[in-house]
Amino acid sequence: MKKKAIIIGLSLSLCLFAFLIRDWFLSFFIAEITAENILFSDSSNVTHQIFPMLIFIFSFGIIPFLHLIVRNYCKIYSGKQQLLSLLTIIISGFLFLGLRVIYLKFKVAQINDILRRAEFTSEADIPRINFQDMYLEYYLLAGLVVGTILCMIIFKKSSNSGIKN
């Protein structure tokens, strides 16, 4: 019961942390993608950003529960393996996020190339990346889930091979 309370408390504190860093998160990654500094003062007031904000907060809050799922499913008891599984989940989430940022930077570079040659194209032929279409939060959440599944596969195989020996 005490462990569940600790996990719930940690999850709620991570949700609060995610809520507080949401504007910095958006400003940082949009500046990284577009090479323009856009400052968000209160992204929760933007109506089309309510659901992505909830996904972002949920992504941080679910990390302790994902780790608990891996720990219980694979019966991980050593501190080293627990730390390794937690790091795998978090790194996988940020790896998916990083890959999305790299892809969007590539698309922005293509758009800038088209704009340089804009004298040969019409306005309708120039693609755009809208702020709403970046989906950074979704890729973070997907990466966390994939990291959990990866941990379950790795640690279940290692625990099964340890039993056979």
Side-chain angles (χ1 to χ4, degrees), residues 77-162:
Y77 300 110
S78 75
K80 181 181 172 183
Q81 285 184 334
Q82 287 184 16
L83 181 64
L84 186 61
S85 69
L86 184 63
L87 286 175
T88 303
I89 292 169
I90 293 170
I91 288 171
S92 176
F94 283 105
L95 182 67
F96 270 52
L97 179 66
L99 290 173
R100 180 65 176 174
V101 168
I102 290 170
Y103 171 76
L104 290 174
K105 283 178 79 167
F106 176 72
K107 292 304 274 183
V108 166
Q110 282 182 333
I111 290 170
N112 288 338
D113 185 47
I114 290 173
L115 288 174
R116 278 194 294 271
R117 296 180 284 133
E119 60 198 54
F120 301 113
T121 61
S122 67
E123 182 72 24
D125 293 337
I126 298 175
R128 304 204 189 295
I129 295 179
N130 293 328
F131 172 71
Q132 300 87 351
D133 298 333
M134 290 190 184
Y135 302 118
L136 298 175
E137 299 87 357
Y138 299 99
Y139 279 83
L140 176 64
L141 182 60
L144 293 173
V145 171
V146 167
T148 302
I149 294 169
L150 183 66
C151 282
M152 292 170 107
I153 291 169
I154 291 171
F155 287 111
K156 194 62 171 179
K157 284 195 182 269
S158 67
S159 67
N160 286 343
S161 65

Side-chain angles (χ1 to χ4, degrees), residues 29-111:
F29 282 109
I30 289 176
E32 184 69 28
I33 292 167
T34 62
E36 296 176 11
N37 287 330
I38 299 174
L39 297 177
F40 290 93
S41 58
D42 192 9
S43 63
S44 60
N45 285 339
V46 183
T47 54
H48 62 271
Q49 284 299 310
I50 299 294
F51 189 68
M53 181 181 65
L54 292 175
I55 294 291
F56 181 74
I57 292 171
F58 178 74
S59 295
F60 273 71
I62 199 171
I63 292 173
F65 292 107
L66 293 175
H67 177 64
L68 181 67
I69 290 170
V70 170
R71 192 172 69 190
N72 289 340
Y73 179 76
C74 299
K75 296 175 180 44
I76 298 173
Y77 300 110
S78 75
K80 181 181 172 183
Q81 285 184 334
Q82 287 184 16
L83 181 64
L84 186 61
S85 69
L86 184 63
L87 286 175
T88 303
I89 292 169
I90 293 170
I91 288 171
S92 176
F94 283 105
L95 182 67
F96 270 52
L97 179 66
L99 290 173
R100 180 65 176 174
V101 168
I102 290 170
Y103 171 76
L104 290 174
K105 283 178 79 167
F106 176 72
K107 292 304 274 183
V108 166
Q110 282 182 333
I111 290 170

